[in-house]
Amino acid sequence: MADTPDQKKSDHRSERKRRLLPPPAWWPLPACALLGLAAGGAYGVLKAPEYAATSYVVAVPNETTEPATALGFAQAYGRIATSSSTLAYAQPRAGISAQRLRTQVRAETSPDSPMIAITGTSKSPSEAADIANAVADALSLSSNQAAKNTGVQLLLFNQAVAPSDPASPSAALSGAVGLCAGGLLGGLWLLARPARRKEQGTGRPVVEEYASLPAQGEHTETKEKESVR
């Protein structure tokens, strides 16, 4: 028996409904994870690699100075390693402007040893080493001018060399971080959606309850009618 036109239309509508089924409730999790993976991988590929080289300077006390004093001066010299006066000494050897030099060098000290680590960063390995060595030499030169008064002298302990591997994360690592971050955002989205529905569901009965209450004018009119009766 052949199908009637109405049956064909109903079959076509049912097939169309099957095709337009809504996505599963957990779709934000893989979608956000894939977006994070793509964004992290693109960042790792497009961003230029950055290199870091470190030079070490040690504070040495003289014969009449206690070792604890050298440790204190190492902390103080570490704070002025990136000051304007030190960078002015280092700028000619580093070969870059003082403003750019300030953003590409950092100094770190240890509370247990009188040593200062000066790290230079750049897109070029040789330039990163030149920055670290220039600032280390400038710090030693400026501090040793007052060595007779302080009793502490700064000596170059280890000179920075051009690194072979970049310090910035690779494209694979950036993609993995983006994948984890995207998955975390997708999971938070899934956790927030039921709470939102619950809040909307609890708000409806309150509206219906207030809507079922009589208005203020109607309440007074009913009271007057009862008193007349």
Side-chain angles (χ1 to χ4, degrees):
M1 183 176 180
D3 294 337
T4 61
D6 295 336
Q7 290 178 350
K8 290 182 179 180
K9 289 181 180 180
S10 61
D11 294 339
H12 182 68
R13 289 176 182 175
S14 61
E15 291 179 0
R16 189 175 180 182
K17 288 181 180 179
R18 291 175 184 174
R19 294 177 183 176
L20 299 177
L21 287 176
W26 46 266
W27 71 266
L29 183 61
C32 292
L34 290 176
L35 287 176
L37 177 62
Y43 175 80
V45 171
L46 297 177
K47 183 176 174 58
E50 190 176 64
Y51 296 87
T54 304
S55 179
Y56 295 93
V57 178
V58 62
V60 180
N62 58 16
E63 298 177 355
T64 60
T65 306
E66 296 181 357
T69 305
L71 181 60
F73 273 101
Q75 301 290 329
Y77 286 136
R79 293 186 180 93
I80 66 172
T82 56
S83 63
S84 300
S85 59
T86 305
L87 297 181
Y89 278 111
Q91 189 267 333
R93 181 179 175 182
I96 58 177
S97 62
Q99 184 178 3
R100 183 184 169 190
L101 184 61
R102 186 185 299 275
T103 61
Q104 293 183 222
V105 67
R106 65 178 183 271
E108 299 175 354
T109 58
S110 174
D112 301 326
S113 62
M115 187 172 291
I116 305 170
I118 300 173
T119 303
T121 58
S122 177
K123 296 178 181 179
S124 172
S126 58
E127 187 179 43
D130 292 339
I131 290 173
N133 292 328
V135 176
D137 291 341
L139 181 62
S140 301
L141 179 62
S142 60
S143 61
N144 290 338
Q145 292 177 356
K148 294 181 180 180
N149 299 326
T150 60
V152 176
Q153 185 179 7
L154 285 184
L155 299 177
L156 184 62
F157 184 78
N158 189 16
Q159 196 173 17
V161 295
S164 57
D165 298 326
S168 56
S170 60
L173 182 59
S174 299
V177 173
L179 177 66
C180 296
L184 179 61
L185 291 177
L188 292 176
W189 190 357
L190 291 178
L191 291 175
R193 287 178 64 185
R196 185 178 179 183
R197 291 178 181 175
K198 189 175 181 181
E199 290 176 0
Q200 292 178 354
T202 54
R204 290 176 183 174
V206 177
V207 176
E208 293 177 358
E209 184 179 355
Y210 277 104
S212 62
L213 292 175
Q216 186 175 2
E218 295 177 358
H219 187 64
T220 54
E221 289 178 0
T222 53
K223 280 188 175 182
E224 290 177 357
K225 290 180 181 180
E226 289 178 357
S227 62
V228 170
R229 290 178 184 177

PDB file of all heavy atoms in Angstrom, residues 77 141-152:
ATOM      1  N   TYR A  77      72.888  44.895  47.892  1.00  0.00           N
ATOM      2  CA  TYR A  77      73.355  45.060  46.515  1.00  0.00           C
ATOM      3  C   TYR A  77      72.402  44.399  45.515  1.00  0.00           C
ATOM      4  O   TYR A  77      72.293  44.840  44.367  1.00  0.00           O
ATOM      5  CB  TYR A  77      74.760  44.483  46.365  1.00  0.00           C
ATOM      6  CG  TYR A  77      75.834  45.339  46.991  1.00  0.00           C
ATOM      7  CD1 TYR A  77      76.849  44.769  47.768  1.00  0.00           C
ATOM      8  CD2 TYR A  77      75.848  46.718  46.811  1.00  0.00           C
ATOM      9  CE1 TYR A  77      77.837  45.549  48.345  1.00  0.00           C
ATOM     10  CE2 TYR A  77      76.831  47.510  47.387  1.00  0.00           C
ATOM     11  CZ  TYR A  77      77.822  46.922  48.152  1.00  0.00           C
ATOM     12  OH  TYR A  77      78.801  47.708  48.726  1.00  0.00           O
ATOM     13  N   LEU A 141      81.614  46.933  39.899  1.00  0.00           N
ATOM     14  CA  LEU A 141      82.402  48.158  39.809  1.00  0.00           C
ATOM     15  C   LEU A 141      81.871  49.239  40.742  1.00  0.00           C
ATOM     16  O   LEU A 141      82.636  49.889  41.470  1.00  0.00           O
ATOM     17  CB  LEU A 141      82.405  48.653  38.360  1.00  0.00           C
ATOM     18  CG  LEU A 141      83.168  49.945  38.073  1.00  0.00           C
ATOM     19  CD1 LEU A 141      84.655  49.769  38.390  1.00  0.00           C
ATOM     20  CD2 LEU A 141      82.976  50.376  36.625  1.00  0.00           C
ATOM     21  N   SER A 142      80.559  49.430  40.749  1.00  0.00           N
ATOM     22  CA  SER A 142      79.980  50.486  41.580  1.00  0.00           C
ATOM     23  C   SER A 142      80.072  50.158  43.067  1.00  0.00           C
ATOM     24  O   SER A 142      80.290  51.052  43.899  1.00  0.00           O
ATOM     25  CB  SER A 142      78.521  50.712  41.183  1.00  0.00           C
ATOM     26  OG  SER A 142      77.765  49.519  41.368  1.00  0.00           O
ATOM     27  N   SER A 143      79.927  48.888  43.431  1.00  0.00           N
ATOM     28  CA  SER A 143      79.976  48.524  44.853  1.00  0.00           C
ATOM     29  C   SER A 143      81.404  48.498  45.386  1.00  0.00           C
ATOM     30  O   SER A 143      81.644  48.831  46.561  1.00  0.00           O
ATOM     31  CB  SER A 143      79.328  47.160  45.060  1.00  0.00           C
ATOM     32  OG  SER A 143      80.023  46.162  44.325  1.00  0.00           O
ATOM     33  N   ASN A 144      82.366  48.127  44.558  1.00  0.00           N
ATOM     34  CA  ASN A 144      83.753  48.060  45.022  1.00  0.00           C
ATOM     35  C   ASN A 144      84.364  49.440  45.248  1.00  0.00           C
ATOM     36  O   ASN A 144      85.414  49.554  45.892  1.00  0.00           O
ATOM     37  CB  ASN A 144      84.599  47.275  44.019  1.00  0.00           C
ATOM     38  CG  ASN A 144      84.249  45.792  44.035  1.00  0.00           C
ATOM     39  OD1 ASN A 144      83.706  45.281  45.015  1.00  0.00           O
ATOM     40  ND2 ASN A 144      84.559  45.104  42.942  1.00  0.00           N
ATOM     41  N   GLN A 145      83.721  50.477  44.734  1.00  0.00           N
ATOM     42  CA  GLN A 145      84.208  51.823  45.016  1.00  0.00           C
ATOM     43  C   GLN A 145      84.043  52.191  46.489  1.00  0.00           C
ATOM     44  O   GLN A 145      84.771  53.034  47.002  1.00  0.00           O
ATOM     45  CB  GLN A 145      83.464  52.833  44.133  1.00  0.00           C
ATOM     46  CG  GLN A 145      83.794  52.708  42.646  1.00  0.00           C
ATOM     47  CD  GLN A 145      82.997  53.671  41.789  1.00  0.00           C
ATOM     48  OE1 GLN A 145      82.135  54.396  42.307  1.00  0.00           O
ATOM     49  NE2 GLN A 145      83.271  53.695  40.489  1.00  0.00           N
ATOM     50  N   ALA A 146      83.088  51.535  47.150  1.00  0.00           N
ATOM     51  CA  ALA A 146      82.866  51.775  48.581  1.00  0.00           C
ATOM     52  C   ALA A 146      83.313  50.596  49.428  1.00  0.00           C
ATOM     53  O   ALA A 146      82.903  50.468  50.585  1.00  0.00           O
ATOM     54  CB  ALA A 146      81.393  52.067  48.835  1.00  0.00           C
ATOM     55  N   ALA A 147      84.164  49.718  48.884  1.00  0.00           N
ATOM     56  CA  ALA A 147      84.586  48.524  49.623  1.00  0.00           C
ATOM     57  C   ALA A 147      85.424  48.872  50.846  1.00  0.00           C
ATOM     58  O   ALA A 147      85.382  48.161  51.863  1.00  0.00           O
ATOM     59  CB  ALA A 147      85.361  47.589  48.699  1.00  0.00           C
ATOM     60  N   LYS A 148      86.186  49.966  50.796  1.00  0.00           N
ATOM     61  CA  LYS A 148      86.997  50.349  51.952  1.00  0.00           C
ATOM     62  C   LYS A 148      86.131  50.753  53.138  1.00  0.00           C
ATOM     63  O   LYS A 148      86.492  50.521  54.294  1.00  0.00           O
ATOM     64  CB  LYS A 148      87.931  51.496  51.574  1.00  0.00           C
ATOM     65  CG  LYS A 148      88.990  51.110  50.545  1.00  0.00           C
ATOM     66  CD  LYS A 148      89.889  52.289  50.236  1.00  0.00           C
ATOM     67  CE  LYS A 148      90.958  51.918  49.210  1.00  0.00           C
ATOM     68  NZ  LYS A 148      91.849  53.067  48.896  1.00  0.00           N
ATOM     69  N   ASN A 149      84.986  51.339  52.855  1.00  0.00           N
ATOM     70  CA  ASN A 149      84.095  51.769  53.933  1.00  0.00           C
ATOM     71  C   ASN A 149      83.168  50.648  54.410  1.00  0.00           C
ATOM     72  O   ASN A 149      82.841  50.567  55.596  1.00  0.00           O
ATOM     73  CB  ASN A 149      83.253  52.960  53.473  1.00  0.00           C
ATOM     74  CG  ASN A 149      84.109  54.156  53.113  1.00  0.00           C
ATOM     75  OD1 ASN A 149      85.158  54.388  53.729  1.00  0.00           O
ATOM     76  ND2 ASN A 149      83.678  54.919  52.112  1.00  0.00           N
ATOM     77  N   THR A 150      82.737  49.802  53.500  1.00  0.00           N
ATOM     78  CA  THR A 150      81.799  48.734  53.869  1.00  0.00           C
ATOM     79  C   THR A 150      82.504  47.482  54.368  1.00  0.00           C
ATOM     80  O   THR A 150      81.918  46.701  55.122  1.00  0.00           O
ATOM     81  CB  THR A 150      80.919  48.370  52.667  1.00  0.00           C
ATOM     82  OG1 THR A 150      81.755  47.923  51.588  1.00  0.00           O
ATOM     83  CG2 THR A 150      80.099  49.565  52.214  1.00  0.00           C
ATOM     84  N   GLY A 151      83.730  47.250  53.942  1.00  0.00           N
ATOM     85  CA  GLY A 151      84.432  46.028  54.320  1.00  0.00           C
ATOM     86  C   GLY A 151      83.983  44.814  53.540  1.00  0.00           C
ATOM     87  O   GLY A 151      84.321  43.681  53.900  1.00  0.00           O
ATOM     88  N   VAL A 152      83.222  45.008  52.470  1.00  0.00           N
ATOM     89  CA  VAL A 152      82.704  43.908  51.650  1.00  0.00           C
ATOM     90  C   VAL A 152      83.006  44.220  50.193  1.00  0.00           C
ATOM     91  O   VAL A 152      82.801  45.350  49.725  1.00  0.00           O
ATOM     92  CB  VAL A 152      81.184  43.722  51.851  1.00  0.00           C
ATOM     93  CG1 VAL A 152      80.646  42.637  50.923  1.00  0.00           C
ATOM     94  CG2 VAL A 152      80.879  43.368  53.296  1.00  0.00           C
TER      95      VAL A 152
END
